[in-house]
C-alpha cells in the first residue's frame, strides 16, 4: 500500500511501469548525492565517487553472474537497447526481432534498418505470446542475419522466452544475440554463464533502483563495432561518454544487491499474490480472461481482459488501484497494444485489457483491494453501459 499526497491509500500494482525505490537504493543514492565528486577525478573525493560506481558494478555483476568489466552504465534500458542494436548492426545485414518487443527495441530496429530491403525480420508469436521458432529458423536460413534480439520477459503479459534454442540457432548461423531483460532482471534468477546471450539490457527502476539509470551487458570478446551513441569524454571505456550518474548508479547497485539476496523468496511470494489476484478476479468477474496464462510467466504480472469493458474506464473508476492498460502511447495518441494484437487479440479485447504488476513490497491487502475495486468498477461500468444501451 502506498500513501497518496492527499492521504488516500493506493494499492500500487504497476511494478512493470516502475517499482518503488528499495530502502537500500534510497540510502545508497542519497549517500552519493550528499558527496561531491566526479568519478573521473583523481583526488580523494573523485576516488570516493569512483568507488561507489565500482561497488555498484560489482553488485550488478553478482546479480547477473557476469564480470564487472562487461557492464556499461546507461540512462536506462531504452539507451541500452539503442546502443546494443546500433553496435551489433553496424556492418548491416538482417536484424531479427519479434512482434512483441518493447518499442525501445522495435523502433530502434525500424530506424536502423529503414530503407534497406529485407533488412528487418519480425517474428510472430502464438496466442500465448511465445515466439515462433520455425520463423526464426527460416529467417536465419534465408538472410545474412547479424543480430537476433528477443526479450526475456514481456512487459505487458510477463510471458517468458526460453532463450536457449534461440541462442543456439543464432550462434550457429553466426549471428549475435541481444535480449531486453528489463522486466526480468531482479525478478527471477539469471545466470549469464548459462544464458549465453552476447548483449543484455536492463533498467534499475524495474527492480527497485532509481529511474533514469540502467546498463548494457556486453559479453567479453563479442565482435562489436564501436558505435557509441554519445561521444565526448570517453567514459565507460568509450561506450558512453558523459559524467557518470554516480547517485543513480549507486542506487542501481544497492537495488541489485537487495534483489539478489531476496530473489527466490520475493519471486515465490509475488507469484502467490498474483495467483490469488487472478483467482479473485476470475471468480468475481464473469467472462474475464488472463492472457498468456498457459505458459511460463514472470511471477508478478497478470494481463486481464474484461471483454466489452474499456480498460481506461476500469482504471478511471478505481483510483485506489494503480495499474495500467495495455495500450502503448505514442505522441499522446493511445493505440491498442501491439503485444496483444500479435497474440491474436481483437482490437476491442486489447482495449479492454488491464495489466496488474506486483513486486517486492506488494501486500495481501493490496491484492484484496484490487480484487474488490476491479469487481466494483466492472460491475458499475457494465450497468452504465446497459442503461445507456437501452432505447
Ligand atoms: N524494455 C522493456 C521490456 C520495458 O518494459 C521498458 C520500460 N517500460 C524499457 C525497455 C525501457 O526502459 P526505460 O524506460 O527505463 O529506458
Amino acid at each position: 500500500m502506498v500513501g497518496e499526497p492527499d492521504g488516500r491509500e493506493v494499492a500500487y500494482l504497476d511494478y512493470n511501469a516502475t517499482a518503488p525505490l528499495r530502502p537500500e537504493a534510497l540510502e545508497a543514492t542519497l549517500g552519493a548525492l550528499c558527496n561531491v565528486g566526479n568519478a573521473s577525478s583523481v583526488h580523494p573525493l573523485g576516488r570516493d565517487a569512483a568507488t561507489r560506481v565500482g561497488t555498484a558494478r560489482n553488485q550488478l555483476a553478482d546479480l547477473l553472474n557476469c564480470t564487472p568489466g562487461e557492464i556499461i552504465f546507461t540512462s536506462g534500458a531504452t539507451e541500452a537497447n539503442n546502443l546494443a542494436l546500433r553496435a551489433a548492426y553496424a556492418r548491416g545485414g538482417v536484424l531479427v526481432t519479434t512482434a512483441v518487443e518493447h518499442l525501445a527495441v522495435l523502433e530502434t530496429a525500424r530506424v536502423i534498418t529503414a530503407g534497406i530491403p529485407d533488412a528487418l525480420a519480425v517474428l510472430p508469436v502464438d496466442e500465448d505470446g511465445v515466439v515462433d521458432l520455425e520463423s526464426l529458423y527460416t529467417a536465419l536460413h534465408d538472410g545474412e542475419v547479424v543480430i537476433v534480439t528477443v526479450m526475456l520477459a514481456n512487459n505487458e503479459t510477463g510471458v517468458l522466452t526460453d532463450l536457449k534454442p534461440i541462442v543456439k540457432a543464432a550462434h550457429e548461423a553466426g549471428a549475435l544475440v541481444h535480449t531486453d531483460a528489463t522486466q526480468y532482471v531482479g525478478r527471477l534468477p539469471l545466470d549469464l554463464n548459462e544464458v549465453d546471450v552476447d548483449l543484455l539490457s536492463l533498467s534499475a527502476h524495474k527492480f527497485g533502483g532509481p529511474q533514469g539509470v540502467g546498463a548494457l551487458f556486453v559479453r567479453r570478446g563479442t565482435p562489436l563495432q564501436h558505435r557509441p551513441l554519445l561521444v565526448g569524454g570517453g567514459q565507460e571505456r568509450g561506450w558512453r561518454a558523459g559524467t557518470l550518474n554516480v547517485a543513480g548508479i549507486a542506487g542501481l547497485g544497492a537495488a541489485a544487491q537487495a534483489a539478489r539476496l531476496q530473489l527466490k523468496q520475493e519471486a515465490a511470494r509475488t507469484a502467490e499474490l498474483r495467483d490469488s489476484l487472478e483467482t479473485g478476479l476470475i471468480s468475481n468477474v464473469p467472462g474475464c480472461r488472463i492472457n498468456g496464462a498457459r505458459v511460463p510467466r514472470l511471477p508478478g504480472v497478470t494481463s486481464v481482459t474484461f471483454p466489452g469493458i474499456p480498460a481506461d474506464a476500469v482504471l478511471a473508476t478505481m483510483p485506489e488501484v494503480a495499474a495500467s492498460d495495455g495500450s502503448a502511447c505514442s505522441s499522446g495518441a493511445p493505440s491498442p497494444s501491439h503485444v496483444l494484437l500479435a497474440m491474436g487479440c481483437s482490437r476491442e479485447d486489447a482495449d479492454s485489457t488491464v495489466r496488474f504488476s506486483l513486486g517486492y513490497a506488494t501486500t495481501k491487502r493490496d491484492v484484496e483491494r484490487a480484487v474488490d475495486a476491479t469487481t466494483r468498477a466492472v460491475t458499475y461500468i457494465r450497468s452504465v453501459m446497459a442503461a445507456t444501451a437501452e432505447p
Side-chain angles (χ1 to χ4, degrees):
M1 208 68 71
V2 178
E4 277 270 276
D6 63 6
R8 277 183 303 132
E9 275 193 345
V10 171
Y12 187 80
L13 300 181
D14 207 13
Y15 277 65
N16 279 19
T18 197
L21 197 62
R22 291 181 188 260
E24 297 88 342
L26 177 62
E27 195 185 329
T29 303
L30 283 177
L33 280 174
C34 292
N35 276 273
V36 63
N38 183 319
S40 300
S41 298
V42 292
H43 53 68
L45 293 169
R47 293 294 87 214
D48 175 74
T51 302
R52 291 175 200 267
V53 171
T55 301
R57 211 182 287 279
N58 291 336
Q59 288 166 322
L60 182 59
D62 284 346
L63 176 66
L64 305 176
N65 200 17
C66 67
T67 60
E70 291 172 309
I71 289 166
I72 298 163
F73 286 119
T74 65
S75 63
T78 301
E79 184 186 331
N81 287 338
N82 270 269
L83 187 55
L85 297 184
R86 285 168 195 271
Y89 195 72
R91 63 187 167 92
V94 178
L95 185 158
V96 175
T97 187
T98 83
V100 292
E101 298 298 310
H102 189 273
L103 293 180
V105 163
L106 278 178
E107 285 304 308
T108 306
R110 283 187 194 124
V111 166
I112 63 182
T113 59
I116 311 170
D118 303 321
L120 179 61
V122 181
L123 308 177
V125 296
D126 66 16
E127 59 182 359
D128 292 315
V130 175
V131 176
D132 181 49
L133 285 180
E134 286 308 317
S135 19
L136 169 68
Y137 301 146
T138 306
L140 289 169
H141 178 265
D142 285 357
E144 205 208 314
V145 178
V146 290
I147 175 80
V148 175
T149 174
V150 180
M151 71 201 320
L152 201 40
N154 186 271
N155 45 301
E156 291 186 30
T157 59
V159 169
L160 302 177
T161 305
D162 177 8
L163 283 177
K164 282 218 170 94
I166 294 174
V167 172
K168 185 168 178 291
H171 282 172
E172 279 171 9
L176 296 176
V177 180
H178 166 256
T179 190
D180 178 351
T182 307
Q183 296 290 350
Y184 188 101
V185 168
R187 271 102 182 247
L188 283 174
L190 178 63
D191 182 343
L192 282 173
N193 260 336
E194 282 180 11
V195 181
D196 196 18
V197 294
D198 306 289
L199 300 145
L200 175 146
S201 305
L202 60 91
S203 232
H205 68 108
K206 307 293 183 181
F207 56 90
Q211 298 177 348
V213 58
L216 175 66
F217 157 82
V218 183
R219 191 174 295 282
R220 180 171 311 168
T222 302
L224 270 191
Q225 290 196 22
H226 200 243
R227 281 284 170 106
L229 294 168
L230 302 176
V231 291
Q235 288 89 345
E236 294 297 86
R237 305 182 303 291
W239 276 103
R240 209 275 180 179
T243 299
L244 289 183
N245 170 8
V246 180
I249 292 169
L252 178 155
Q257 174 163 293
R260 178 174 64 82
L261 295 176
Q262 291 141 42
L263 205 51
K264 290 214 169 98
Q265 304 90 295
E266 282 180 5
R269 205 185 67 84
T270 310
E272 206 173 297
L273 288 169
R274 190 268 317 269
D275 291 349
S276 81
L277 173 63
E278 290 185 346
T279 310
L281 291 176
I282 288 167
S283 58
N284 287 0
V285 187
C288 75
R289 199 182 63 232
I290 315 287
N291 299 298
R294 293 183 296 194
V295 294
R297 282 178 299 159
L298 282 175
V301 190
T302 184
S303 162
V304 191
T305 303
F306 302 99
I309 314 288
D312 53 357
V314 176
L315 295 173
T317 311
M318 50 175 204
E320 68 273 42
V321 178
S324 276
D325 56 20
S327 61
C329 246
S330 46
S331 34
S335 55
S337 150
H338 66 282
V339 173
L340 297 174
L341 294 184
M343 290 166 69
C345 228
S346 66
R347 199 189 159 106
E348 293 70 33
D349 279 357
D351 284 337
S352 303
T353 300
V354 176
R355 177 191 70 186
F356 300 92
S357 48
L358 296 61
Y360 72 90
T362 305
T363 62
K364 217 166 149 236
R365 193 159 129 75
D366 292 327
V367 169
E368 288 163 1
R369 204 179 174 93
V371 172
D372 285 353
T374 311
T375 307
R376 265 186 281 115
V378 173
T379 310
Y380 170 72
I381 296 163
R382 273 194 183 136
S383 69
V384 172
M385 288 171 80
T388 50
E390 274 163 19

